[in-house]
């Protein structure tokens, strides 16, 4: 582990330990203040004076949320936050020192949080306006009147201090997970945290974090990524070079798994994101059913932390297709992308491409991110073609064999081949590595696409003739 990683892990562990004491603080205002101050201390510890980037961008975004008209606030705030993210990453072009890696993570989460509040405010304003028109008779009501909550009204009067405290809450400040402003508000206004299984869930997640960390350290020691960039590596056999994509992406996955598990532990110990089972809470969004009435018998409920679960490791590893695997990876961020980009974009034809471009932009400007994320979108298209060709109607043993063939293809090309580009980062590194294995992933990909299209056309022709 490099120095940044060590500091990062120590800060996460300190945040985990703080949760036990934060829950005991009396008074909503005092607890909010301490959570914010501790978040700023943690951010300063890993960033130094580069924390000014985070503070300035949060302040600019908060100004837009508060003072721009609700019909436009989400667009203006989105532009401000994502433009500042670009400036942050290109700081060296403007003569500034590049911020350290952990600060990049803080800025990434901050971008989603502040722009997410703006999208929530705009959406609530539309609901309030529609409800007003329905009640006044200016617009015919649909089957039911638009449902309005106190939260929708509250968002219209959100202030800069509230957004700032939400942005720098120590829970999630380093690496997420992303959670809505509503989840943040509920933490201070509901008693659910006092009855959730905080310690038990934290210990369970810490066990998995330890396992992932050991695997990461072991594989990285035996098969370091740096070896794939050395001249000696290219003297090895083709089989060895191709096989190296497996440990290369395994190192990355274990590192991510460990980090996300620890970030969940921060939430678990503090009771953050805990909701009763009856609320039907889901990743990123929180409760999908009415839940505030559950406060009355909070001590009699059973709880889960689904709201802040950011990755489902078992499903990522066991699923048969990349499309399914993507649904279980970084799910809170995917929720943000689905709600604020995919569903909001006016053109249905281009919304998928725009969402993936936004995701790639958010991850960074390095070529490896685009090779991986945009490549994944193309791979999923090929995967869908073959699903319809061979898997859709298969049953029994045949279906099981086909499923495991898809699993191998997903693991080999969808994960490891494309994922290696993500970790190699630069175009030259990616090109040299892919050239050393003769671009077999792309060749296999093209052959799968071409043969899939031909077989699909033939199947369609036969079907038409039979009719």
């Amino acid at each position: 582990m490099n120095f940044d990683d060590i500091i990062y892990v120590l800060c996460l562990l300190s945040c985990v330990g703080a949760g036990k004491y934060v829950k005991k603080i009396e008074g909503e205002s005092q607890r909010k203040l301490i959570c914010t101050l501790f978040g700023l201390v943690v951010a300063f510890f890993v960033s130094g004076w580069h924390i000014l980037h985070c503070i300035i961008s949060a302040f600019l975004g908060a100004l837009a949320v508060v003072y721009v008209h609700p019909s436009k606030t989400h667009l203006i705030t989105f532009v401000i936050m994502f433009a500042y993210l670009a400036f942050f990453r290109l700081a060296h072009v403007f003569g500034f020192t590049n911020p350290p890696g952990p600060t990049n993570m803080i800025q990434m989460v901050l971008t989603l949080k502040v722009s997410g509040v703006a999208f929530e405010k705009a959406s609530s304003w539309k609901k309030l306006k529609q409800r007003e028109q329905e009640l006044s008779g200016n617009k015919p009501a649909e089957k039911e009147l638009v449902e309005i909550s106190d939260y929708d009204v509250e968002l219209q009067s959100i202030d800069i201090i509230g957004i700032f405290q939400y942005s720098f809450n120590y829970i999630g400040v380093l690496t997420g997970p992303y959670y809505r402003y509503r989840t943040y508000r509920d933490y201070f206004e509901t008693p659910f945290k006092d009855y959730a299984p905080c310690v038990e869930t934290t210990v369970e997640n810490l066990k998995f974090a330890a396992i992932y960390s050991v695997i990461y350290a072991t594989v990285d020691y035996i098969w370091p990524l740096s070896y794939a960039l050395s001249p000696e590596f290219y003297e090895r056999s083709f089989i060895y070079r191709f096989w190296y994509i497996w440990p290369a992406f395994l190192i990355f996955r274990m590192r991510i798994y460990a980090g996300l598990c620890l970030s969940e532990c921060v939430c678990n110990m503090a009771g953050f994101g805990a909701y009763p089972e009856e609320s039907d809470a889901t990743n990123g969004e929180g409760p999908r059913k009415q839940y505030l009435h559950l406060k009355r018998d909070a001590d009699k409920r059973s709880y889960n932390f689904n709201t802040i679960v950011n990755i489902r490791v078992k499903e990522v590893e066991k699923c048969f297709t990349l499309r399914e695997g993507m649904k279980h990876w970084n799910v809170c961020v995917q929720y943000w992308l689905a709600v604020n980009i995919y569903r909001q974009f006016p053109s249905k034809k281009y919304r998928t491409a725009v969402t993936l471009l936004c995701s790639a932009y958010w991850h960074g400007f390095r070529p490896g991110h685009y090779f991986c994320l945009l490549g994944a979108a193309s791979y999923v298209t090929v995967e869908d073609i073959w699903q319809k060709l061979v898997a859709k109607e298969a049953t029994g043993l045949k279906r099981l064999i086909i499923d495991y063939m898809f699993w191998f293809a997903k693991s080999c090309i969808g994960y490891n081949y494309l994922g290696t580009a993500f970790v190699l980062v630069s175009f030259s590194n990616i090109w040299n590595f892919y050239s050393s294995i003769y671009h077999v992933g792309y060749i296999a990909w093209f052959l799968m696409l071409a043969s899939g299209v031909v077989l699909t056309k033939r199947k369609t022709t036969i079907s038409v003739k039979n009719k």
Side-chain angles (χ1 to χ4, degrees):
M1 299 176 72
N2 59 39
F3 183 72
D4 280 350
D5 285 342
I6 294 171
I7 296 297
Y8 171 79
V9 170
L10 290 175
C11 285
L12 279 176
L13 290 174
S14 69
C15 289
V16 173
K20 181 179 179 181
Y21 304 98
V22 166
K23 284 199 305 177
K24 298 178 181 179
I25 298 172
E26 297 292 338
E28 176 186 329
S29 298
Q30 186 177 358
R31 193 184 304 119
K32 280 184 177 179
L33 178 61
I34 290 175
C35 286
T36 304
L37 291 175
F38 186 43
L40 287 169
V41 168
V42 170
F44 180 78
F45 189 71
V46 300
S47 307
W49 291 109
H50 293 289
I51 192 179
L52 290 174
H53 281 293
C54 305
I55 293 173
I56 291 170
S57 62
F59 180 70
L60 293 174
L63 284 174
V65 175
V66 174
Y67 293 110
V68 174
H69 191 272
S71 62
K72 297 288 192 299
T73 186
H74 57 306
L75 299 175
I76 302 301
T77 308
F78 176 86
V79 170
I80 289 173
M81 296 308 297
F82 276 80
Y84 199 96
L85 186 62
F87 168 74
F88 171 84
R89 286 170 171 161
L90 299 174
H92 60 281
V93 175
F94 299 95
F96 298 100
T97 306
N98 277 331
T103 313
N104 180 55
M105 291 297 300
I106 296 172
Q107 189 66 42
M108 289 171 72
V109 176
L110 189 67
T111 299
L112 299 185
K113 279 185 173 182
V114 178
S115 53
V117 171
F119 276 103
E120 285 192 72
K121 182 178 180 180
S123 177
S124 294
W125 176 79
K126 288 178 183 177
K127 288 167 63 178
L128 290 167
K129 185 178 180 182
Q130 185 178 344
R131 177 67 174 272
E132 183 182 343
Q133 291 175 338
E134 289 173 350
L135 293 175
S136 64
N138 294 330
K139 181 178 180 180
E142 298 181 2
K143 293 182 180 179
E144 295 181 1
L145 289 173
V146 175
E147 187 175 343
I148 301 298
S149 67
D150 292 339
Y151 179 64
D152 293 314
V153 177
E154 179 186 328
L155 276 175
Q156 304 314 305
S157 58
I158 192 171
D159 57 23
I160 292 175
I161 294 176
I163 296 171
F164 191 84
Q165 290 180 325
Y166 163 64
S167 300
F168 289 99
N169 179 29
Y170 87 92
I171 300 173
V173 72
L174 281 177
T175 186
Y178 167 76
Y179 49 81
R180 297 172 61 190
Y181 181 77
R182 185 183 69 170
T183 305
Y184 171 77
R185 184 205 65 170
D186 286 344
Y187 179 68
F188 297 97
E189 298 182 2
T190 63
F192 302 144
K193 59 184 172 296
D194 299 322
Y195 303 102
C198 301
V199 175
E200 297 87 339
T201 309
T202 302
V203 170
E204 188 67 18
N205 273 332
L206 281 174
K207 290 178 183 177
F208 284 107
I211 292 170
Y212 301 141
S213 298
V214 169
I215 297 173
Y216 161 70
T218 303
V219 178
D220 188 46
Y221 179 77
I222 300 173
W223 298 288
L225 182 65
S226 57
Y227 181 64
L229 305 176
S230 67
E232 294 82 6
F233 176 78
Y234 296 100
E235 296 174 3
R236 305 293 292 259
S237 67
F238 164 78
I239 294 176
Y240 183 86
R241 295 197 301 268
F242 179 73
W243 168 84
Y244 215 80
I245 63 175
W246 294 81
F249 194 57
L250 180 62
I251 292 168
F252 175 78
R253 289 208 309 283
M254 292 303 117
R255 187 171 184 266
I256 295 297
Y257 292 169
L260 293 181
C261 269
L262 284 175
S263 66
E264 286 182 23
C265 288
V266 176
C267 300
N268 299 149
M269 184 59 84
F272 190 93
Y275 285 101
E277 294 281 357
E278 296 93 327
S279 68
D280 189 26
T282 188
N283 313 105
E285 181 177 1
R288 291 182 288 187
K289 295 180 179 179
Q290 294 292 334
Y291 64 98
L292 291 178
H293 66 284
L294 301 174
K295 293 190 294 184
R296 289 193 294 269
D297 301 312
D299 59 325
K300 299 177 182 178
R301 312 288 174 182
S302 57
Y303 295 86
N304 64 55
F305 286 90
N306 291 345
T307 301
I308 52 85
V309 172
N310 205 20
I311 192 164
R312 296 184 280 265
V313 175
K314 185 178 179 180
E315 286 78 2
V316 169
E317 296 295 333
K318 288 182 64 177
C319 67
F320 296 119
T321 64
L322 180 61
R323 178 179 289 281
E324 187 181 352
M326 289 167 64
K327 293 178 182 178
H328 303 295
W329 180 280
N330 218 2
V331 285
C332 293
V333 173
Q334 287 201 54
Y335 164 78
W336 186 95
L337 288 166
V339 170
N340 299 321
I341 305 299
Y342 185 82
R343 296 177 192 172
Q344 299 276 350
F345 197 74
S347 172
K348 292 184 178 181
K349 183 178 180 180
Y350 298 109
R351 59 174 43 166
T352 299
V354 169
T355 302
L356 287 166
L357 278 171
C358 182
S359 176
Y361 177 99
W362 179 74
H363 279 88
F365 300 150
R366 296 173 175 177
H369 300 154
Y370 293 85
F371 268 89
C372 180
L373 296 173
L374 298 183
S378 301
Y379 177 83
V380 165
T381 302
V382 176
E383 200 174 55
D384 290 344
I385 291 172
W386 279 95
Q387 278 280 328
K388 293 177 182 178
L389 275 173
V390 300
K392 190 176 181 180
E393 299 174 359
T395 58
L397 179 61
K398 180 181 178 182
R399 178 57 187 261
L400 186 64
I401 293 172
I402 290 172
D403 281 342
Y404 277 101
M405 290 174 67
F406 271 94
W407 177 87
F408 180 79
K410 173 214 73 174
S411 301
C412 189
I413 300 176
Y415 281 3
N416 297 311
Y417 188 81
L418 293 174
T420 300
F422 195 98
V423 298
L424 288 174
V425 178
S426 72
F427 179 82
S428 60
N429 288 341
I430 297 167
W431 184 260
N432 289 337
F433 183 84
Y434 279 177
S435 296
S436 76
I437 55 176
Y438 310 113
H439 301 278
V440 291
Y442 289 131
I443 293 172
W445 189 350
F446 175 77
L447 293 175
M448 289 167 62
L449 175 62
S451 57
V453 170
V454 170
L455 291 173
T456 299
K457 287 183 178 179
R458 183 178 297 178
K459 186 177 181 179
T460 303
T461 303
I462 293 172
S463 178
V464 171
K465 286 182 179 180
N466 290 337
K467 289 181 180 179

